[in-house]
Amino acid sequence: MHLSAHVDTFARDHLPPPDEWPDLCFELPELSYPERLNCAVELLEHADPARPVFHTPAGPSWTYGDLRARVDRIAHVLTGELGVVPGNRVLLRGPTTPWLAACWLAVLKAGAVAVTVLAQQRAHELATVCEIAEVRHALCDIRALDDLAKAEVPGLRITAYGGDAADDLLHRPAPGTPYPAVDTASDDVALIAFTSGTTGRPKGCMHFHRDVLAIADTFSRHVLRPHADDVFTGSPPLGFTFGLGGLVIFPMRAGASSLLLEQAGPRQLLPAIAEHRVSVLFTAPTAYRAMLDDLAGYDTSSLRRCVSAGENLPAATWRAWQERTGLRIINGIGATELLHIFISAADERVRPGTTGVPVPGWQARVQDADGKPVPDGEPGLLAVRGPVGCRYLRDPRQREYVRGGWNVTGDTYVRGSDGYFSYVARADDMIISAGYNIAGPEVEDALLRHPDVVETAVVGRPDEARGQVAVAYTVLRDGVRPDPEALRTFLKSELAPYKCPREFVFLDALPRTATGKLQRFRLRTKGDQH
């Protein structure tokens, strides 16, 4: 590793031992980063300062010049009055706004480590994050202060922004001069992203300054291929690495702009796309499906790129979107541990029902529990490696995720003879019933082809006779009467009979995390109580 610029060496001191790191690949020439690198400088300094960078539904757009001046001012306050030194962890909390993005860039430019959390996270969750990362500084939108204050983190200095008080971050006195960026090493830790997992203690994933650029120089550059005139928007918050990449890193790396929405559900996305002529959209499969019925009421002709990740994209949703818009959704799989998407495909390379092929700069294979590759066509564990790898913050689960130099994501996949990777299930979501393997997502995809089904999740429930039985938790269109037999009859025309759920449970909504991921464990718990 290179000579660190960090005065506070906590992050580097708590990287996993070198023999527990995954193998890293830097085969593409654009991944040959210099030893000294500050990713905030790279994102801020190469665009025309007069060009727009951030838009909001209300208020004027920010230019790159505006953003640089505001980032420099925040960085002066951080390292001056607030006493932040390189390597300190700085918690960032608030809804998706230009000011949150500016704070993130200022933390990085000052050589500190950004720990961006979700505005929806509650006091006990915030306390856990601060404990794991030993956070002592926080920048928080004034509207999101309550839970952070309730967390009662020892020694945490909280500075609000967006208010009227004299001690607000944005009103504190600061030089109006450019801030000289800290000369960080390319492998200094820039951010700690906490997994949005549904169970267990969260894991802090440490990523370097070069990693921030690497996700833009692989997936964005080679698959998404944005233009400087593109306008990005999407639903994932900046505390979710899917959103951080799609709404800040990718557009800025291309000199493009982003519409940042505080409310970004399906009902807000379509009018925002129409009004702001959005061309690149990042959201989850459920949002694409939810928007289908309302597409006719909005002008979405500006869209040219639609990216889906966060959970599996059913082929039925892909086809319905393509039929209504003419656009091929770019499916992808990413992970907080690897920062962003590493398998995907775009344009004529898209094959509905598959995730795609390894993104240039990445390698992937399907292996068994012993780490041996399995033949094409057989399910196994997805293993990947590339320029970014899993490095948990002092967490023994590092040895579970990294095996034999590969990042093992916990997903069951099949690789076809054509090299395309198809999602089967999370490794712990495979249902084994009376000796048959049933992949919940396959059954879900079939159920979603029924016109009355809005969303569904199929999980296993313990059963004394069969080991497990499949249960389909299903949300129907408004006004439709639940009819399990009709759905079962439909499924038997789509799938082998043994894959049909033994039971249907009808819900008003499926349980999800703040980032929109389905909480299957809650449904499995429901099943255990039957």
Side-chain angles (χ1 to χ4, degrees):
M1 296 187 70
H2 307 309
L3 181 65
S4 176
H6 286 179
V7 176
D8 176 348
T9 61
F10 170 87
R12 182 168 285 197
D13 292 345
H14 291 94
L15 286 166
D19 62 354
E20 293 182 10
W21 284 31
D23 295 335
L24 299 175
C25 311
F26 300 97
E27 297 170 352
L28 299 177
E30 53 268 33
L31 298 176
S32 298
Y33 300 112
E35 290 187 8
R36 313 310 297 179
L37 176 73
N38 187 301
C39 64
V41 173
E42 296 300 313
L43 295 175
L44 283 164
E45 301 296 331
H46 297 298
D48 180 344
R51 289 186 64 83
V53 60
F54 294 136
H55 314 277
T56 60
S61 297
W62 291 21
T63 66
Y64 276 87
D66 296 332
L67 179 59
R68 289 176 203 168
R70 290 161 184 166
V71 166
D72 285 350
R73 192 177 184 287
I74 295 169
H76 276 301
V77 174
L78 279 173
T79 57
E81 188 178 351
L82 299 181
V84 171
V85 301
N88 281 167
R89 277 75 58 217
V90 181
L91 189 85
L92 302 173
R93 185 170 194 251
T96 301
T97 65
W99 284 114
L100 179 62
C103 288
W104 183 79
L105 290 159
V107 168
L108 299 183
K109 194 168 184 180
V113 179
V115 183
T116 308
V117 295
L118 301 171
Q120 300 95 325
Q121 284 177 303
R122 297 298 176 237
H124 73 280
E125 298 169 303
L126 298 170
T128 299
V129 166
C130 290
E131 175 200 340
I132 294 171
E134 294 193 8
V135 175
R136 296 295 177 265
H137 298 274
L139 304 181
C140 184
D141 189 299
I142 195 165
R143 297 167 293 174
L145 279 175
D146 286 353
D147 281 303
L148 188 55
K150 289 176 185 174
E152 298 181 343
V153 177
L156 180 66
R157 182 171 184 175
I158 303 172
T159 305
Y161 65 86
D164 298 323
D167 63 351
D168 189 275
L169 175 70
L170 308 181
H171 301 313
R172 290 174 182 253
T177 56
Y179 181 87
V182 171
D183 186 28
T184 44
S186 61
D187 56 8
D188 271 334
V189 175
L191 63 97
I192 302 174
F194 278 83
T195 55
S196 57
T198 53
T199 60
R201 188 171 170 86
K203 293 165 281 191
C205 306
M206 297 193 280
H207 293 300
F208 298 156
H209 279 263
R210 71 180 184 219
D211 298 344
V212 172
L213 301 184
I215 60 171
D217 295 340
T218 53
F219 171 73
S220 184
R221 175 172 177 164
H222 291 279
V223 180
L224 187 62
R225 299 198 296 273
H227 305 153
D229 291 330
D230 276 322
V231 178
F232 288 60
T233 202
S235 61
L238 303 189
F240 189 20
T241 56
F242 183 38
L244 183 64
L247 303 181
V248 176
I249 298 169
F250 298 165
M252 290 188 68
R253 188 64 164 162
S257 64
S258 184
L259 170 65
L260 300 181
L261 300 170
E262 295 189 30
Q263 301 295 323
R267 291 181 179 175
Q268 290 86 22
L269 285 174
L270 285 174
I273 291 166
E275 181 179 351
H276 295 272
R277 305 299 295 161
V278 169
S279 55
V280 181
L281 176 62
F282 280 72
T283 193
T286 49
Y288 285 109
R289 187 166 183 88
M291 289 189 284
L292 285 170
D293 287 344
D294 296 325
L295 275 171
Y298 297 95
D299 179 5
T300 58
S301 61
S302 58
L303 279 178
R304 69 177 198 88
R305 291 302 215 202
C306 298
V307 180
S308 173
E311 58 189 5
N312 183 52
L313 174 66
T317 301
W318 190 96
R319 290 192 173 94
W321 188 263
Q322 197 272 339
E323 287 169 5
R324 305 275 183 92
T325 66
L327 296 169
R328 301 174 178 221
I329 296 176
I330 299 171
N331 192 15
I333 180 175
T336 307
E337 288 85 353
L338 301 172
L339 201 49
H340 219 275
I341 292 172
F342 44 79
I343 294 178
S344 185
D347 304 317
E348 68 283 349
R349 300 197 72 191
V350 172
R351 297 191 183 177
T354 74
T355 306
V357 296
V359 167
W362 292 86
Q363 302 169 7
R365 72 183 192 184
V366 178
Q367 61 186 43
D368 63 19
D370 296 323
K372 297 177 182 177
V374 302
D376 287 348
E378 291 189 13
L381 297 171
L382 179 65
V384 298
R385 61 187 181 190
V388 182
C390 174
R391 304 176 201 92
Y392 286 142
L393 170 59
R394 52 178 179 181
D395 195 310
R397 289 172 290 185
Q398 176 77 16
R399 292 186 291 275
E400 298 171 15
Y401 201 93
V402 177
R403 308 180 209 169
W406 292 82
N407 302 277
V408 182
T409 67
D411 299 282
T412 300
Y413 260 77
V414 170
R415 181 186 185 273
S417 58
D418 56 3
Y420 276 71
F421 287 75
S422 297
Y423 179 78
V424 178
R426 287 290 296 172
D428 54 3
D429 287 337
M430 187 71 79
I431 303 162
I432 303 175
S433 182
Y436 289 102
N437 287 344
I438 303 171
E442 180 187 13
V443 185
E444 293 162 8
D445 194 17
L447 261 175
L448 286 170
R449 292 195 283 271
H450 191 285
D452 292 337
V453 175
V454 174
E455 56 179 348
T456 186
V458 177
V459 301
R461 189 188 78 211
D463 181 82
E464 188 173 339
R466 295 172 172 270
Q468 287 180 301
V469 293
V471 180
Y473 291 88
T474 303
V475 179
L476 299 175
R477 293 188 184 278
D478 290 343
V480 174
R481 182 178 61 84
D483 188 343
E485 285 309 312
L487 292 181
R488 191 172 284 111
T489 299
F490 171 80
L491 276 180
K492 287 181 177 177
S493 70
E494 300 281 322
L495 299 171
Y498 74 84
K499 297 180 182 179
C500 294
R502 289 265 162 175
E503 183 179 349
F504 288 84
V505 178
F506 297 95
L507 302 175
D508 294 331
L510 297 181
R512 295 186 178 276
T513 66
T515 60
K517 284 189 176 181
L518 181 64
Q519 294 179 305
R520 290 180 184 274
F521 81 98
R522 289 179 59 183
L523 298 176
R524 282 195 287 266
T525 301
K526 283 177 181 282
D528 292 345
Q529 295 170 350
H530 273 61

